[in-house]
């Protein structure tokens, strides 16, 4: 690759704090490809991963990773092929996963990338075997702590994290109710993922449906959404319930911080817990978790969907899909 | 006592669900004193205990004790003297604590009352040695789990539960910040109870003061109030913080359920816990806790205040004092 080759990029062009994300928050840019330093590999991006937390990163709120300043290349994890290597342990042609960001070519420190088996689970490393799967696994097991027979309710159940939570909860012996938007997603939850029932938040009253479906109360509520789903679930928790706060996508597009769940005080009557979950801190156990999830996928106990968009020019609009509920499955884009 | 003797009572006259408690929710009544059954004792009430949860009981919400129907004698715990006994283990003249309710004479099953030492800590059995002290003790130790050096913030800090939490937290090596209403209560928190600082919610911005006073964040927030105090504290929690929801008196007088804490999602960034606390479940450990609290009181490490009102006719208005923040210390009434 010559030093005059062009690397197309998407730069951050606005901070969406306190408002919905917009296409104008990104700007296309062309940069010269830089020479490789010792220890680096050049990766041609093939797949980008999209996650709601990317908006949070752009907001530069304390607690999220920093560096998401206007003018920088937008951060993203992805998978690509090594086309040049100055790292002794990584060969040209290897498939690697790392912080490739929103650009065609990334120059990455070889120590920061992970070489992947080039098999049929390649893109699963960005989904069920990546951060979303691990978030579901540790969030459910360590914070939700389900017991066989528990009633487990999952919001955003057809999403990347939610669909994994649903299936792991079912494998562990739970009776799982999924909340999702639209009949197609709800049918998938029941027919393919093994939910005992699904609630379509677009067509029904969540609280009334939870009352019907959970006569003994909710033992574990795994929340990816916030807002009405969280508040309705809090009204129906069982004694000693565990409420896992993992995401709050319903909050991300609001102009001002929306009210919290009015029913929070029910945790006193129910002696229950609301706990926030972040994946950090579980790194040493990733290997074990990935092996278990791989086994479940190979055995057919866990299925997953990918929502694969295509084309460099569609990168920003693909991120926006997450905030309108358009994606069905793990949101990816193939370059 | 003759069977024609009169027993003055206060009956429940309204259900205050979703609105402020009013004097008209109670009605004075006169009943004939009933003959004692075998195993019962007749108690002449001397002290009544008042607690915010009494409004909750009147609302008959699932999760609180039931039986608080309109027309019934209002429930209350209290202390009185046994004036007749058909229970072999309890002598006339004994001081006992039990469910005496809002009336002059209670006929109680001897097995349900506790005979108390008639000493200078008699009324403390309704405060620091009773449910309020035990709530503070177990709520702080088991849910708050403070470590020496932790920054511990308490709302309603001058109240019956709050003032005990403050002092136990200080004894355990915490740096304690109290939130209370008015300069008199705040001075008491710092001068007598050993708070490092106090925040007067009536005169200052709670969130700004917490930012100044807790530069390293809040490790334990013990909430007796809800509303603005809870929301402000959630914005300032430290990593792995424990938020104990014990009471929500700011919510009790609202016409409709007020919004929950908008900042709840910060528990994700901080990997924190919000947990509801009820005293039930700790019964087997009451004895140990009471001994420790008694020792602390005798040693002068714990002080307590009683707000002692007087007179049968003032019983309903004394309960209302709790919801306007008028009481300073454990609310009692002497008959």
């Amino acid at each position: 690759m010559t030093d005059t080759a062009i690397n197309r990029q998407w730069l951050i062009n606005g901070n969406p704090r306190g408002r919905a994300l917009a296409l104008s928050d990104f700007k296309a840019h062309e940069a010269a490809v830089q020479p490789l330093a010792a220890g680096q590999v050049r990766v041609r991006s093939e797949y980008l991963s999209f996650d709601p937390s990317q908006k949070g990163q752009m907001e530069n709120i304390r607690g999220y990773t920093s560096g998401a300043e206007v003018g920088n290349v937008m951060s993203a994890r992805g998978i690509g092929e090594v086309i040049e290597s100055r790292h002794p342990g990584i060969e040209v042609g290897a498939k690697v996963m790392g912080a490739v960001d929103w650009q065609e070519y990334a120059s990455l420190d070889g120590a920061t990338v992970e070489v992947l088996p080039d098999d049929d689970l390649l893109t699963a490393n960005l989904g069920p075997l990546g951060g979303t799967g691990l978030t579901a696994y540790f969030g459910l097991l360590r914070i939700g702590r389900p017991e066989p027979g528990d009633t487990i309710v999952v919001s955003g159940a057809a999403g990347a994290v939610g669909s994994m939570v649903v299936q792991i909860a079912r494998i562990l012996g739970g009776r799982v109710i999924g909340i999702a938007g639209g009949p197609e997603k709800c049918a998938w939850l029941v027919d393919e993922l093994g939910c005992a029932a699904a609630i379509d938040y677009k067509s029904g009253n969540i609280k009334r449906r939870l009352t019907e479906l959970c006569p003994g109360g909710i033992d574990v509520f795994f929340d990816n959404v916030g807002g009405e789903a969280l508040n309705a679930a809090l009204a129906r928790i069982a004694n000693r319930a565990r409420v896992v706060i993992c995401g709050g996508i319903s909050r991300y597009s609001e102009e001002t911080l929306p009210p919290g769940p009015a029913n929070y005080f029910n945790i006193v009557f129910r002696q229950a817990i609301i706990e926030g979950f972040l994946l950090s801190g579980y790194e040493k156990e990733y290997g074990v978790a990935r092996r278990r999830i791989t086994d479940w996928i190979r055995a057919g106990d866990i299925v997953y969907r990918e929502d694969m968009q295509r084309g460099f020019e569609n990168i920003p609009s693909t991120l926006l899909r997450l905030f309108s509920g358009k994606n069905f499955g793990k949101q990816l884009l193939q370059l």
Side-chain angles (χ1 to χ4, degrees), chain A residues 55-117:
Chain A
K55 176 172 191 278
Q57 287 163 357
M58 292 173 69
E59 293 172 355
N60 257 320
I61 289 173
R62 197 170 65 101
Y64 266 132
T65 47
S66 57
E69 304 292 340
V70 167
N72 288 6
V73 178
M74 177 68 182
S75 298
R77 288 179 64 76
I79 291 172
E81 184 169 313
V82 174
I83 56 169
E84 282 182 67
S85 178
R86 293 192 61 194
H87 189 283
I90 303 177
E91 294 181 358
V92 169
K95 301 288 187 182
V96 296
M97 179 166 67
V100 299
D101 301 340
W102 283 9
Q103 57 190 345
E104 294 176 304
Y105 300 100
S107 300
L108 301 175
D109 184 338
T112 68
V113 304
E114 186 178 350
V115 179
L116 302 174

Side-chain angles (χ1 to χ4, degrees), chain A residues 295-316:
Chain A
D295 289 346
W296 284 328
I297 293 174
R298 294 286 185 214
D301 291 327
I302 281 187
V303 298
Y304 62 98
R305 277 185 73 110
E306 293 175 341
D307 183 322
M308 188 70 79
Q309 302 294 305
R310 287 187 174 76
F312 174 85
E313 64 283 4
N314 295 321
I315 292 176

Side-chain angles (χ1 to χ4, degrees), chain A residues 136-137 140-141 145-154 157 161-178 187-197 220 222 292-293 295-304:
Chain A
Y137 182 92
L140 178 65
L141 267 70
R145 298 184 294 279
E147 296 180 9
D150 272 359
T151 293
I152 298 159
V153 177
V154 183
V161 172
S163 60
M164 290 296 289
V165 173
V166 161
Q167 294 177 94
I168 298 172
R170 187 207 70 221
I171 290 168
L172 296 175
R175 181 178 164 270
V176 188
I177 314 288
W188 185 61
L189 287 173
V190 173
D191 298 341
E192 305 287 329
L193 303 196
C195 278
V220 179
F222 194 106
R292 287 188 82 177
I293 297 171
D295 289 346
W296 284 328
I297 293 174
R298 294 286 185 214
D301 291 327
I302 281 187
V303 298
Y304 62 98

Side-chain angles (χ1 to χ4, degrees), chain A residues 109-125:
Chain A
D109 184 338
T112 68
V113 304
E114 186 178 350
V115 179
L116 302 174
D118 188 8
D119 62 12
D120 58 320
L121 293 183
L122 180 66
T123 54
N125 290 288

Side-chain angles (χ1 to χ4, degrees), chain A residues 254-292:
Chain A
E254 302 280 341
E255 301 292 321
T256 58
L257 203 57
N263 293 323
Y264 85 94
F265 200 77
N266 200 29
I267 63 171
V268 175
F269 304 130
R270 299 278 156 258
Q271 298 184 286
I273 296 181
I274 306 176
E275 188 161 353
F277 178 75
L278 276 186
L279 191 51
S280 66
Y282 295 92
E283 291 80 0
K284 288 187 175 152
E285 302 178 78
Y286 283 2
V288 173
R290 277 181 173 154
R291 254 199 318 277
R292 287 188 82 177

